[in-house]
């Protein structure tokens, strides 16, 4: 019998170009934000989620370095890395630590320092999320993989580029209401005209921005006065690249991990009313929603309502998503959980709809659905 | 005449510019390297001046100085100091200023050196000259800002890095065409753009060159000047900022609250590229070519590394009679021959015959 796992506190800093802050300084700042609301942080384990501190910060064993910097000793430290999905993978690992009874309290920190080096270096490191020998070597970057998927999606389902562009517009509008978002500005319907092509047909405004960030959550086996409970958590993988799959336009790892999380939570999909998804590139947003079953294949662009940022009565990415909140790689999944926590127990209500008594889910993945993680949260009762 | 703010001051006796005849359209650079046209459009640079194979900072500096001395109406022997602000010295060791001085006929009893501070060394030379003139150490000082700026082929910098320069004779405000009534500097250690010893091309921190470097330093320098003088933005008729591209000056102007119409007359980079030490100073030249007596100009050069200066300059009556003593900047901008990328890489010695 596993134990129940709660999130007692969460904090995050604004995603930005933090030129004056290192991995350590970013991590510390996220803890400070959390401490403003919650003082009793006494972890038995520190789990750090970070995608590439080796390449971006010349640091191995980051979890140990950060724990020491925070003045935390005599505890268990781990770094979790599963590419872009590292954040939710770290939540899953931390969940296991508590559920198994190994420890009672875990401090999870997602941190990434991306903008220190030249864009060419950043892109080279980011491209390592793909199979380096099979894709990276031949110049297939995550952006070019996304562009091939976009082309196929448009051709098979008969969409124009302009029809898909409503996603970035909605995300930018949502980000304006999110205090920790990186791109807090609106874009116009034809903004893509001035946006350079990064990999035809995708333009800069179809991709997430590079930014530094850190987010932290404190998890334990006790709900305390107020907490969110992790009701379900699931994970699955697939062929590492999309083109080696039966259907590149459907991410099975998402369907499977979502099914697993729903079964664990003992609920069906209809009960979810808030969702944060991994929209690293415009076409992925629609494919994720379809793979989670919120729309039939090829239907998400029609079903997604930009006015309410919702699909099938589920509000999606009120944070602005990876597109506009930002995507500091290993920290992103922790940002998503922070946002769920804020909606459920933190009093964050960006659109005037109280969702604090509902079910919220965070979906994270690496690349084009190579690995997927999904967590379902609800206010503890 | 406009009442001037108090303080030790100097004036501009004469001004000159030089732009090489060759032009390369930036669309040609974009074509060669496969840049999307939106990248080119966003920078607002149409074409850039390319120094010929026999032109360098010294020849450019000499040409601009010749025009400045012609307008100043003084004998070269009256010049007691000559400073060359450049980041493309033809000799790593050996001053450019001495060569230019000798070619202009400036006698040996003079101060003379090259200054380096990325794009703002000549601006600092101007402040040094104000001090030399105001203290009566020298009667006139020649300030030259000239560059044949380098950019790694294919780098975004290649759209802007160009060749050209400006020169000013600084002397007593009494004889001047424009009084420099006040100036202010703001300098920090900010590594936004650099070229290591022995490296042919500079490196830069991409967007880091913007917010914490260009914008922060110019804004602080301008605010410092306004505070020091008690002047306000509406007191200025023209504003000239450093022009790494066409976009940044308009953006920093907007942040400071300067209307576009006060910035546009001093814009040069869209038509010549960024001449580095010549950049903001050529903007000042363009204003000196057209502004009415009594006009007040805010000049704010910037150099990576990083620093910015702010000057308040007031045009005097006698400017009208000096203007046509040498070619105006627009004459030099419009005197042009288009070349292709192949000629450009040859002229700028990016390809060499073995």
């Amino acid at each position: 019998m596993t134990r129940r796992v709660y999130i007692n506190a969460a904090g995050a800093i604004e995603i930005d170009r933090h030129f004056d802050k290192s991995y350590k300084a970013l991590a510390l700042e996220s803890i400070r934000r959390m401490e403003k609301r919650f003082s009793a942080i006494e972890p038995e384990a520190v789990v750090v989620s970070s995608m590439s501190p080796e390449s971006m910060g010349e640091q191995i064993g980051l979890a140990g370095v950060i724990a020491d910097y925070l003045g935390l000793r005599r505890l268990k430290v781990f770094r979790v890395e599963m590419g872009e999905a590292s954040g939710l993978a770290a939540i899953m690992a931390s969940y296991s630590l508590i559920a198994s009874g190994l420890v009672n309290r875990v401090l999870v920190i997602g941190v990434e320092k991306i903008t220190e080096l030249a864009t060419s270096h950043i892109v080279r490191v980011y491209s390592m999320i793909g199979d380096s020998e099979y894709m990276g070597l031949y110049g297939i970057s995550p952006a070019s993989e996304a562009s091939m998927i976009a082309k196929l999606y448009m051709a098979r389902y008969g969409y124009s580029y302009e029809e898909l562009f409503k996603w970035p517009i909605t995300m930018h509008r949502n980000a304006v209401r999110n205090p920790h978002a990186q791109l807090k500005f609106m874009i116009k319907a034809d903004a893509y005209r001035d946006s350079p092509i990064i990999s035809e047909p995708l333009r800069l405004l179809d991709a997430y921005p590079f930014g530094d960030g850190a987010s932290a959550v404190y998890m334990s086996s006790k709900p305390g006065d107020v907490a969110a409970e992790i009701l379900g958590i699931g994970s699955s993988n697939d062929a590492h690249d999309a083109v080696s799959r039966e259907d590149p336009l459907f991410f099975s790892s998402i369907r499977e991990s979502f099914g697993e999380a729903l079964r664990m939570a003992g609920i069906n999909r209809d009960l979810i009313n808030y969702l944060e998804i991994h929209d690293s590139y415009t076409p992925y947003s629609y494919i994720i929603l379809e793979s989670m079953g919120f729309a039939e294949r090829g239907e998400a662009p029609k079903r997604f309502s930009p006015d309410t940022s919702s699909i099938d009565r589920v509000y999606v990415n009120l944070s602005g998503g990876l597109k506009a909140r930002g995507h500091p790689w290993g920290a992103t999944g922790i940002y998503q959980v922070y946002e769920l926590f804020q909606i459920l127990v933190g009093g964050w209500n960006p659109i005037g709809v109280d969702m604090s008594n509902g079910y919220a889910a965070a979906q994270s993945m690496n690349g084009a659905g190579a690995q997927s993680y999904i967590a379902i949260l609800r206010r503890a009762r | 005449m406009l009442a001037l703010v108090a303080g030790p001051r100097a004036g501009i006796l004469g001004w000159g510019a030089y732009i090489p005849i060759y032009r390369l359209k930036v669309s040609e650079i974009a074509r060669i390297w496969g840049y999307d046209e939106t990248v080119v459009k966003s920078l607002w640079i149409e074409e850039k001046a390319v120094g010929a194979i026999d032109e360098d900072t010294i020849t450019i500096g000499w040409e601009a100085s010749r025009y400045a001395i012609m307008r100043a109406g003084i004998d070269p022997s009256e010049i007691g100091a000559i400073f060359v602000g450049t980041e493309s010295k033809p000799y790593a060791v050996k001053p450019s200023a001495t060569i230019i001085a000798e070619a202009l006929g400036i006698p040996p009893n003079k101060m003379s050196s090259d200054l380096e501070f990325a794009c703002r060394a000549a601006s600092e030379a101007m402040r040094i000259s104000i001090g030399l003139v105001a203290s009566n150490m020298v009667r006139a000082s020649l300030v030259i800002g000239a560059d044949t700026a380098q950019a790694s082929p294919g780098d975004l910098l290649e759209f802007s890095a160009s060749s050209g320069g400006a020169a000013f004779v600084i002397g007593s405000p009494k004889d001047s065409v424009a009084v420099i009534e006040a100036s202010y500097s703001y300098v920090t250690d900010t590594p936004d753009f650099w070229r290591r010893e022995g490296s042919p091309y500079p490196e830069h921190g991409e967007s880091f060159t913007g917010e914490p470097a260009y914008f922060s330093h110019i804004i602080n320098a301008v605010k410092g000047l306004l505070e020091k003088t008690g002047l306000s933005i509406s007191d200025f008729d023209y504003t000239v900022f450093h022009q790494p591209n066409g976009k940044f000056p308009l953006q920093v102007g907007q942040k400071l609250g300067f209307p576009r119409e006060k910035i546009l007359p001093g814009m040069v980079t869209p038509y010549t590229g960024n001449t580095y030490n010549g950049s903001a100073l050529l903007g000042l030249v363009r204003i000196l070519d057209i502004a009415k007596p009594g006009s007040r100009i805010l000049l704010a050069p910037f150099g990576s590394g990083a620093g910015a200066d702010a000057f308040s300059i007031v045009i005097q009556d006698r400017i009208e009679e000096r203007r046509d003593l040498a070619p105006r900047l627009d004459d030099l901008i419009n005197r042009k021959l288009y070349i292709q990328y192949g000629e450009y890489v040859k002229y700028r010695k990016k390809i060499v015959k073995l």
Side-chain angles (χ1 to χ4, degrees), chain B residues 217-240:
Chain B
H217 287 77
I218 288 184
I219 287 168
N220 278 297
V222 170
K223 284 185 172 165
L225 181 84
L226 297 181
E227 204 169 304
K228 178 177 166 179
T229 58
L231 293 168
S232 64
I233 283 163
S234 59
D235 290 321
F236 294 95
D237 302 292
Y238 299 99
T239 311
V240 180

Side-chain angles (χ1 to χ4, degrees), chain A residues 17 19 118-119 193-197, chain B residues 36 38-39 41 204 206-208 212:
Chain A
R17 296 180 177 124
F19 293 128
T119 305
R193 289 182 205 279
D194 297 323
S195 171
I197 285 174
Chain B
D36 192 64
T38 51
V39 175
K41 269 203 304 197
H204 55 89
E206 300 179 341
S207 54
F208 190 77

Side-chain angles (χ1 to χ4, degrees), chain A residues 153-164:
Chain A
Y153 192 93
M154 286 156 62
R156 188 192 290 174
Y157 300 126
Y159 289 107
S160 68
Y161 172 81
E162 287 78 3
E163 286 172 298
L164 300 185

Side-chain angles (χ1 to χ4, degrees), chain B:
Chain B
M1 188 45 83
L2 205 62
L4 302 176
V5 299
R9 62 174 77 97
I12 296 169
L13 306 186
W15 73 98
Y18 180 75
I19 306 292
I21 196 167
Y22 294 116
R23 294 289 179 284
L24 180 65
K25 286 189 182 291
V26 295
S27 56
E28 165 78 352
I29 302 171
R31 184 183 71 82
I32 292 289
W33 289 105
Y35 276 95
D36 192 64
E37 64 175 27
T38 51
V39 175
V40 182
K41 269 203 304 197
S42 71
L43 293 170
W44 189 29
I45 302 171
E46 291 165 20
E47 51 199 44
K48 68 172 191 173
V50 178
I53 205 154
D54 59 353
E55 288 186 304
D56 61 17
T57 292
I58 292 170
T59 67
I60 290 167
W62 177 81
E63 298 265 12
S65 300
R66 205 164 55 98
Y67 296 148
I69 293 169
M70 281 159 67
R71 282 205 178 95
I74 62 168
D75 189 273
S77 65
E78 294 177 65
I79 294 172
I82 168 169
F83 299 108
V84 178
T86 184
E87 55 107 85
S88 43
K89 279 161 63 80
Y91 293 89
V93 178
K94 173 177 161 52
S96 311
T98 53
I99 305 173
I100 296 173
E102 203 107 328
L104 290 168
I106 298 173
N109 62 331
K110 61 177 181 285
M111 295 171 65
S112 177
S113 61
D114 294 1
L115 303 178
E116 191 282 309
F117 195 130
C119 294
R120 76 169 270 280
S123 173
E124 188 136 302
M126 202 174 265
R127 287 208 83 196
I128 293 169
S129 299
I130 294 167
L132 290 175
V133 167
S135 66
N136 290 318
M137 267 183 77
V138 303
R139 182 137 177 248
S141 174
L142 177 62
V143 172
I144 300 163
D147 268 303
T148 52
Q150 322 86 344
S152 179
D155 191 286
L156 206 53
L157 211 56
E158 196 176 31
F159 288 115
S160 58
S162 75
S163 304
F168 301 87
V169 179
I170 307 294
S172 162
K174 286 201 305 290
D175 314 318
S176 72
V177 298
V179 172
I180 307 171
E181 57 175 346
S183 58
Y184 187 90
S185 294
Y186 184 89
V187 174
T188 70
D189 175 25
T190 302
D192 60 316
F193 173 104
W194 63 92
R195 180 164 63 86
R196 283 277 191 178
E197 183 66 47
S199 302
Y201 302 117
E203 294 172 71
H204 55 89
E206 300 179 341
S207 54
F208 190 77
T209 59
E211 212 51 57
Y214 180 89
F215 293 103
S216 166
H217 287 77
I218 288 184
I219 287 168
N220 278 297
V222 170
K223 284 185 172 165
L225 181 84
L226 297 181
E227 204 169 304
K228 178 177 166 179
T229 58
L231 293 168
S232 64
I233 283 163
S234 59
D235 290 321
F236 294 95
D237 302 292
Y238 299 99
T239 311
V240 180
F241 300 110
H242 174 55
Q243 300 168 22
N245 50 52
K247 180 177 68 171
F248 274 20
L250 296 176
Q251 284 179 337
V252 77
Q254 193 177 22
K255 283 171 195 273
L256 281 162
F258 284 99
R260 276 169 78 95
E261 56 270 22
K262 290 187 178 181
I263 303 171
L264 289 173
M267 290 297 291
V268 177
T269 287
Y271 320 107
T272 62
N274 179 10
T275 53
Y276 284 46
N277 274 277
S279 182
L281 300 185
L282 282 170
L284 174 62
V285 165
R286 199 156 197 232
I287 302 298
L288 293 174
D289 281 352
I290 57 161
K292 288 197 173 66
S295 306
R296 185 178 261 131
I297 306 162
L298 177 86
L299 169 70
F302 165 82
S304 290
D309 307 294
F311 298 86
S312 177
I313 299 168
V314 179
I315 307 281
Q316 304 297 300
D317 287 334
R318 66 175 68 80
I319 198 163
E320 312 269 17
E321 66 204 41
R322 306 272 179 91
R323 279 190 178 133
D324 291 324
L325 298 176
R328 295 193 191 202
L329 177 57
D330 279 7
D331 299 337
L332 298 166
I333 291 173
N334 295 327
R335 183 194 70 125
K336 60 186 173 186
L337 290 173
Y338 286 106
I339 55 169
Q340 298 299 302
Y341 197 84
E343 286 134 351
Y344 154 72
V345 291
K346 179 180 147 188
Y347 294 168
R348 288 292 93 217
K349 303 180 179 69
K350 292 170 196 291
I351 49 167
V352 287
K353 195 170 158 186
L354 294 176

Side-chain angles (χ1 to χ4, degrees), chain A residues 129-309:
Chain A
I129 67 163
D131 182 330
S132 288
E133 289 180 7
Y134 186 63
M135 298 180 76
L137 195 63
Y138 300 101
I140 303 172
S141 67
S144 51
E145 187 180 27
S147 74
M148 289 189 281
I149 289 172
K151 276 187 179 175
L152 187 60
Y153 192 93
M154 286 156 62
R156 188 192 290 174
Y157 300 126
Y159 289 107
S160 68
Y161 172 81
E162 287 78 3
E163 286 172 298
L164 300 185
F165 193 69
K166 65 180 178 181
W167 182 269
I169 298 168
T170 310
M171 292 303 109
H172 275 262
R173 195 193 62 217
N174 290 350
V176 171
R177 294 185 292 244
N178 177 358
H180 61 268
Q182 184 175 4
L183 305 181
K184 287 193 209 68
F185 57 85
M186 311 267 271
I187 56 170
K188 294 202 176 93
D190 62 351
Y192 61 85
R193 289 182 205 279
D194 297 323
S195 171
I197 285 174
I198 52 165
S199 186
E200 201 272 322
L202 298 180
R203 294 170 180 269
L204 193 62
L205 283 175
D206 289 303
Y208 71 90
F210 290 139
D212 312 320
S215 182
V217 299
Y218 186 60
M219 294 165 58
S220 81
S221 57
K222 300 241 164 53
D225 294 337
V226 61
E229 181 177 359
I230 300 178
L231 295 178
I233 191 157
S235 172
S236 186
N237 77 326
D238 201 343
H240 204 73
D241 61 287
V243 293
S244 298
R245 300 173 201 157
E246 195 179 331
D247 183 1
L249 299 187
F250 190 83
F251 297 165
S252 304
S253 66
I254 294 177
R255 180 184 56 196
E256 286 154 21
S257 52
F258 192 34
E260 200 172 273
L262 288 169
R263 279 194 298 280
M264 189 169 160
I267 62 169
N268 65 39
R269 191 177 52 230
D270 300 341
L271 281 173
I272 304 282
N273 51 11
Y274 173 49
L275 191 59
E276 282 291 333
I277 65 168
H278 185 103
D279 56 330
S280 44
Y281 296 95
T282 300
Y284 293 170
S285 58
Y286 302 118
I287 294 175
I288 291 166
L289 293 172
E290 291 164 13
S291 302
M292 292 182 87
F294 290 106
E296 295 295 316
R297 294 186 195 199
E299 292 291 310
K302 291 195 194 91
R303 298 270 171 266
F304 176 69
S305 162
D307 294 342
T308 49
S309 192

